[in-house]
PDB file of all heavy atoms in Angstrom:
ATOM      1  N   LEU A  49      10.177   7.855   8.469  1.00 89.00           N
ATOM      2  CA  LEU A  49       9.710   9.162   8.878  1.00 89.00           C
ATOM      3  C   LEU A  49       9.463   9.202  10.385  1.00 89.00           C
ATOM      4  O   LEU A  49       9.788  10.186  11.064  1.00 89.00           O
ATOM      5  CB  LEU A  49       8.396   9.513   8.145  1.00 89.00           C
ATOM      6  CG  LEU A  49       7.713  10.819   8.574  1.00 89.00           C
ATOM      7  CD1 LEU A  49       8.652  12.004   8.334  1.00 89.00           C
ATOM      8  CD2 LEU A  49       6.431  11.010   7.753  1.00 89.00           C
ATOM      9  N   GLN A  50       8.960   8.106  10.919  1.00 86.00           N
ATOM     10  CA  GLN A  50       8.752   8.029  12.381  1.00 86.00           C
ATOM     11  C   GLN A  50      10.100   8.215  13.107  1.00 86.00           C
ATOM     12  O   GLN A  50      10.167   8.973  14.059  1.00 86.00           O
ATOM     13  CB  GLN A  50       8.144   6.706  12.776  1.00 86.00           C
ATOM     14  CG  GLN A  50       7.872   6.564  14.307  1.00 86.00           C
ATOM     15  CD  GLN A  50       7.536   5.156  14.684  1.00 86.00           C
ATOM     16  OE1 GLN A  50       8.274   4.218  14.344  1.00 86.00           O
ATOM     17  NE2 GLN A  50       6.441   5.009  15.457  1.00 86.00           N
ATOM     18  N   GLN A  51      11.110   7.529  12.623  1.00 83.00           N
ATOM     19  CA  GLN A  51      12.422   7.661  13.259  1.00 83.00           C
ATOM     20  C   GLN A  51      12.956   9.086  13.154  1.00 83.00           C
ATOM     21  O   GLN A  51      13.543   9.635  14.051  1.00 83.00           O
ATOM     22  CB  GLN A  51      13.402   6.679  12.590  1.00 83.00           C
ATOM     23  CG  GLN A  51      13.083   5.207  12.829  1.00 83.00           C
ATOM     24  CD  GLN A  51      14.153   4.307  12.285  1.00 83.00           C
ATOM     25  OE1 GLN A  51      15.289   4.342  12.660  1.00 83.00           O
ATOM     26  NE2 GLN A  51      13.760   3.513  11.321  1.00 83.00           N
ATOM     27  N   ILE A  52      12.740   9.716  11.997  1.00 87.00           N
ATOM     28  CA  ILE A  52      13.219  11.081  11.807  1.00 87.00           C
ATOM     29  C   ILE A  52      12.502  12.011  12.794  1.00 87.00           C
ATOM     30  O   ILE A  52      13.172  12.855  13.474  1.00 87.00           O
ATOM     31  CB  ILE A  52      12.905  11.585  10.380  1.00 87.00           C
ATOM     32  CG1 ILE A  52      13.798  10.832   9.359  1.00 87.00           C
ATOM     33  CG2 ILE A  52      13.104  13.076  10.236  1.00 87.00           C
ATOM     34  CD1 ILE A  52      13.377  11.043   7.932  1.00 87.00           C
ATOM     35  N   LEU A  53      11.205  11.863  12.953  1.00 85.00           N
ATOM     36  CA  LEU A  53      10.471  12.715  13.901  1.00 85.00           C
ATOM     37  C   LEU A  53      10.896  12.467  15.347  1.00 85.00           C
ATOM     38  O   LEU A  53      10.964  13.430  16.155  1.00 85.00           O
ATOM     39  CB  LEU A  53       8.965  12.477  13.731  1.00 85.00           C
ATOM     40  CG  LEU A  53       8.377  12.842  12.383  1.00 85.00           C
ATOM     41  CD1 LEU A  53       6.880  12.598  12.347  1.00 85.00           C
ATOM     42  CD2 LEU A  53       8.683  14.282  12.014  1.00 85.00           C
ATOM     43  N   VAL A  54      11.168  11.224  15.679  1.00 79.00           N
ATOM     44  CA  VAL A  54      11.625  10.930  17.051  1.00 79.00           C
ATOM     45  C   VAL A  54      13.006  11.608  17.295  1.00 79.00           C
ATOM     46  O   VAL A  54      13.218  12.253  18.315  1.00 79.00           O
ATOM     47  CB  VAL A  54      11.748   9.425  17.279  1.00 79.00           C
ATOM     48  CG1 VAL A  54      12.511   9.097  18.565  1.00 79.00           C
ATOM     49  CG2 VAL A  54      10.401   8.769  17.324  1.00 79.00           C
ATOM     50  N   LEU A  55      13.882  11.496  16.339  1.00 79.00           N
ATOM     51  CA  LEU A  55      15.209  12.094  16.499  1.00 79.00           C
ATOM     52  C   LEU A  55      15.133  13.588  16.501  1.00 79.00           C
ATOM     53  O   LEU A  55      15.905  14.250  17.198  1.00 79.00           O
ATOM     54  CB  LEU A  55      16.153  11.583  15.367  1.00 79.00           C
ATOM     55  CG  LEU A  55      16.481  10.079  15.410  1.00 79.00           C
ATOM     56  CD1 LEU A  55      17.194   9.665  14.167  1.00 79.00           C
ATOM     57  CD2 LEU A  55      17.303   9.756  16.667  1.00 79.00           C
ATOM     58  N   ARG A  56      14.208  14.162  15.696  1.00 80.00           N
ATOM     59  CA  ARG A  56      14.001  15.622  15.716  1.00 80.00           C
ATOM     60  C   ARG A  56      13.510  16.053  17.096  1.00 80.00           C
ATOM     61  O   ARG A  56      13.942  17.074  17.633  1.00 80.00           O
ATOM     62  CB  ARG A  56      13.012  16.065  14.636  1.00 80.00           C
ATOM     63  CG  ARG A  56      13.533  15.983  13.246  1.00 80.00           C
ATOM     64  CD  ARG A  56      14.634  16.927  12.968  1.00 80.00           C
ATOM     65  NE  ARG A  56      14.157  18.282  12.556  1.00 80.00           N
ATOM     66  CZ  ARG A  56      14.907  19.357  12.631  1.00 80.00           C
ATOM     67  NH1 ARG A  56      16.129  19.327  13.081  1.00 80.00           N
ATOM     68  NH2 ARG A  56      14.409  20.505  12.245  1.00 80.00           N
ATOM     69  N   ALA A  57      12.590  15.267  17.664  1.00 73.00           N
ATOM     70  CA  ALA A  57      12.060  15.624  18.972  1.00 73.00           C
ATOM     71  C   ALA A  57      13.148  15.509  20.051  1.00 73.00           C
ATOM     72  O   ALA A  57      13.073  16.227  21.055  1.00 73.00           O
ATOM     73  CB  ALA A  57      10.907  14.649  19.338  1.00 73.00           C
ATOM     74  N   LEU A  58      14.150  14.709  19.804  1.00 69.00           N
ATOM     75  CA  LEU A  58      15.248  14.592  20.715  1.00 69.00           C
ATOM     76  C   LEU A  58      16.335  15.677  20.509  1.00 69.00           C
ATOM     77  O   LEU A  58      17.314  15.693  21.189  1.00 69.00           O
ATOM     78  CB  LEU A  58      15.883  13.208  20.653  1.00 69.00           C
ATOM     79  CG  LEU A  58      15.023  12.073  21.119  1.00 69.00           C
ATOM     80  CD1 LEU A  58      15.629  10.729  20.754  1.00 69.00           C
ATOM     81  CD2 LEU A  58      14.820  12.128  22.624  1.00 69.00           C
ATOM     82  N   GLY A  59      16.095  16.524  19.544  1.00 68.00           N
ATOM     83  CA  GLY A  59      16.971  17.684  19.300  1.00 68.00           C
ATOM     84  C   GLY A  59      18.084  17.479  18.314  1.00 68.00           C
ATOM     85  O   GLY A  59      18.930  18.338  18.195  1.00 68.00           O
ATOM     86  N   LEU A  60      18.090  16.406  17.551  1.00 74.00           N
ATOM     87  CA  LEU A  60      19.147  16.167  16.571  1.00 74.00           C
ATOM     88  C   LEU A  60      18.843  17.023  15.326  1.00 74.00           C
ATOM     89  O   LEU A  60      17.719  17.166  14.897  1.00 74.00           O
ATOM     90  CB  LEU A  60      19.229  14.711  16.173  1.00 74.00           C
ATOM     91  CG  LEU A  60      20.096  13.804  17.067  1.00 74.00           C
ATOM     92  CD1 LEU A  60      19.486  13.661  18.458  1.00 74.00           C
ATOM     93  CD2 LEU A  60      20.312  12.419  16.425  1.00 74.00           C
ATOM     94  N   GLY A  61      19.905  17.547  14.728  1.00 81.00           N
ATOM     95  CA  GLY A  61      19.796  18.293  13.466  1.00 81.00           C
ATOM     96  C   GLY A  61      19.650  17.327  12.292  1.00 81.00           C
ATOM     97  O   GLY A  61      19.981  16.114  12.414  1.00 81.00           O
ATOM     98  N   LEU A  62      19.248  17.840  11.156  1.00 86.00           N
ATOM     99  CA  LEU A  62      19.030  16.967  10.004  1.00 86.00           C
ATOM    100  C   LEU A  62      20.326  16.238   9.544  1.00 86.00           C
ATOM    101  O   LEU A  62      20.266  15.058   9.209  1.00 86.00           O
ATOM    102  CB  LEU A  62      18.391  17.749   8.841  1.00 86.00           C
ATOM    103  CG  LEU A  62      16.999  18.299   9.103  1.00 86.00           C
ATOM    104  CD1 LEU A  62      16.485  18.989   7.883  1.00 86.00           C
ATOM    105  CD2 LEU A  62      16.037  17.198   9.520  1.00 86.00           C
TER     106      LEU A  62
END
Side-chain angles (χ1 to χ4, degrees):
L49 176 58
Q50 181 193 50
Q51 293 184 63
I52 292 170
L53 296 182
V54 168
L55 293 171
R56 289 293 275 161
L58 292 170
L60 275 67
L62 296 183

